[in-house]
Amino acid sequence: MNYIGIDIGGTQVKIGIVDEHGAVGKSSAYDVAFDGYDTPIIDTVIAKLSEFMQENKLENNQIRGIGVSATGQIDTKEGKVAGAAGHIKNWEGCNIRECIKKVYPGPVTVMNDANCAALAEQWVGGAKDALDAVVVTIGTGVGGGIIANSEILCGTAGGAGEIGHFTIRNNGKRCSCGNRGCYEQYASTTALVRMVKQAQKAGRLKSGLLDSCDINGRTIFEAAGRDRYLDEILDKWIGYAADGLASIIHIFSPKVVLIGGGVSAQKEKFIEPLRVKVLSRIMPTYAKTVTIEAATLGNAAGMVGAVYYCIKHGEA
């Protein structure tokens, strides 16, 4: 029998069949933000879980357990959303485990998505042989999972790994969490897009370099190397990312730092210059022992890590 992994994000839920070795079989993705969250995300998840099982001719007794990876601050013990940093309507307070147990009676576990990504990389990915590792996911925000002595660091409130919300700029930009100068306000893909749009609006970029209606991480990196000012923005943004990683490395002294999210595919234009900047910012002893690479599991990481946690901690 297999497990089902569910990865709930702010725009999509991914559902897949995952075996006991971490291999992903059939999987599907579904929109959860189609009406601005007027339909609570969990309602969509339950409906699509039922649809997925029907399409794949799966009965409850054919599934060993369901592991859920979810965005937000997750109370892993209770299986509910403890906080959402103001991002998503009808999400905070949702008891994910309780809702899923209404349609599936077997073991169900719930963990923060960034922590699940770290567990996946530890299980079958780039941190497989590392006792201590940090996985940082850069996207709409910045998330992270911390592996310390082979164990995921969950913390008391279930929110350990909120890497996007430590301060790197005193009195900096206001964050949705209520603080100022948070890491994700400077190092997220959202921050990069904002910086580029501001430069375009000010007329600093070459005319026609970027379509104002289609500015995102992918199109920005595609345009890199064709405009000096855009390259300066990218360099500044990578510097922000390096600032935060230097602090993280000094605090946790990981053997491996893995960078996830869509931009991690940009090895030459992002991962390599980021590595150079981080190594120049950390103490020599740390620089000799840490490895900084792109995460290896991509979009499957949340599902895989959620199932790994279910295998280790799932109870009926």
Side-chain angles (χ1 to χ4, degrees), residues 3-8 13-18 22 24-28 52 67-69 113 116-117 120 123 298-310:
Y3 294 81
I4 285 183
I6 301 176
D7 184 14
I8 307 172
V13 57
K14 293 183 283 290
I15 303 175
I17 300 169
V18 182
V24 180
K26 172 71 176 179
S27 65
S28 298
F52 180 84
V68 182
S69 161
D113 54 357
C116 284
W123 186 21
N299 289 331
M303 293 186 294
V304 172
V307 165
Y308 182 66
Y309 188 77
C310 186

Side-chain angles (χ1 to χ4, degrees), residues 134 136 163 166 168 183 238-254 257 259 274-283 286-287 290 292:
V134 176
V136 179
I163 286 172
F166 73 90
I168 67 167
Y183 186 36
I238 294 171
Y240 288 143
D243 288 343
L245 288 180
S247 296
I248 291 165
I249 290 169
H250 283 146
I251 294 168
F252 295 104
S253 187
V257 174
I259 310 299
L274 176 66
R275 183 189 300 117
V276 170
K277 289 181 183 295
V278 172
L279 294 178
S280 72
R281 285 161 164 76
I282 59 178
M283 290 183 279
Y286 293 85
V290 69
I292 303 167

Side-chain angles (χ1 to χ4, degrees), residues 48-278:
K48 295 307 179 182
L49 173 60
S50 298
E51 181 181 315
F52 180 84
M53 292 185 70
Q54 289 172 6
E55 287 178 352
N56 291 280
K57 298 180 174 59
L58 292 172
E59 300 292 337
N60 283 340
N61 60 10
Q62 296 176 289
I63 301 298
R64 288 183 177 180
I66 294 178
V68 182
S69 161
T71 186
Q73 299 154 24
I74 304 300
D75 183 331
T76 302
K77 183 177 180 181
E78 297 294 327
K80 68 180 183 181
V81 183
H87 289 305
I88 302 172
K89 183 171 61 177
N90 292 322
W91 188 232
E92 189 167 337
C94 173
N95 194 312
I96 300 170
R97 178 191 289 138
E98 186 178 276
C99 292
I100 291 178
K101 294 284 274 187
K102 290 178 181 178
V103 297
Y104 172 75
V108 178
T109 57
V110 186
M111 176 170 271
N112 168 266
D113 54 357
N115 285 345
C116 284
L119 281 175
E121 294 289 346
Q122 178 196 29
W123 186 21
V124 293
K128 188 173 182 179
D129 297 320
L131 295 178
D132 301 283
V134 176
V135 179
V136 179
T137 304
I138 296 176
T140 304
V142 176
I146 301 156
I147 304 292
N149 198 23
S150 295
E151 295 291 335
I152 189 73
L153 182 63
C154 290
T156 302
E162 284 288 352
I163 286 172
H165 297 288
F166 73 90
T167 301
I168 67 167
R169 288 291 182 275
N170 187 35
N171 294 321
K173 298 181 186 299
R174 176 71 70 180
C175 183
S176 61
C177 74
N179 199 4
R180 284 189 177 276
C182 286
Y183 186 36
E184 74 172 34
Q185 290 299 311
Y186 295 86
S188 63
T189 307
T190 302
L192 173 62
V193 169
R194 182 181 64 240
M195 292 165 69
V196 171
K197 284 184 175 180
Q198 288 173 345
Q200 187 182 60
K201 187 176 180 180
R204 294 171 181 160
L205 301 182
K206 288 181 181 177
S207 177
L209 181 70
L210 288 163
D211 181 346
S212 59
C213 296
D214 188 31
I215 297 178
N216 54 50
R218 177 184 57 78
T219 58
I220 290 170
F221 275 99
E222 286 176 351
R226 292 189 283 141
D227 182 274
R228 179 183 60 82
Y229 197 82
L230 178 65
D231 291 347
E232 289 176 2
I233 292 172
L234 266 174
D235 185 69
K236 185 176 183 179
W237 177 73
I238 294 171
Y240 288 143
D243 288 343
L245 288 180
S247 296
I248 291 165
I249 290 169
H250 283 146
I251 294 168
F252 295 104
S253 187
K255 178 181 179 182
V256 177
V257 174
L258 298 176
I259 310 299
V263 293
S264 67
Q266 300 290 338
K267 302 284 178 61
E268 182 180 341
K269 296 179 180 179
F270 177 53
I271 297 296
E272 291 176 9
L274 176 66
R275 183 189 300 117
V276 170
K277 289 181 183 295
V278 172

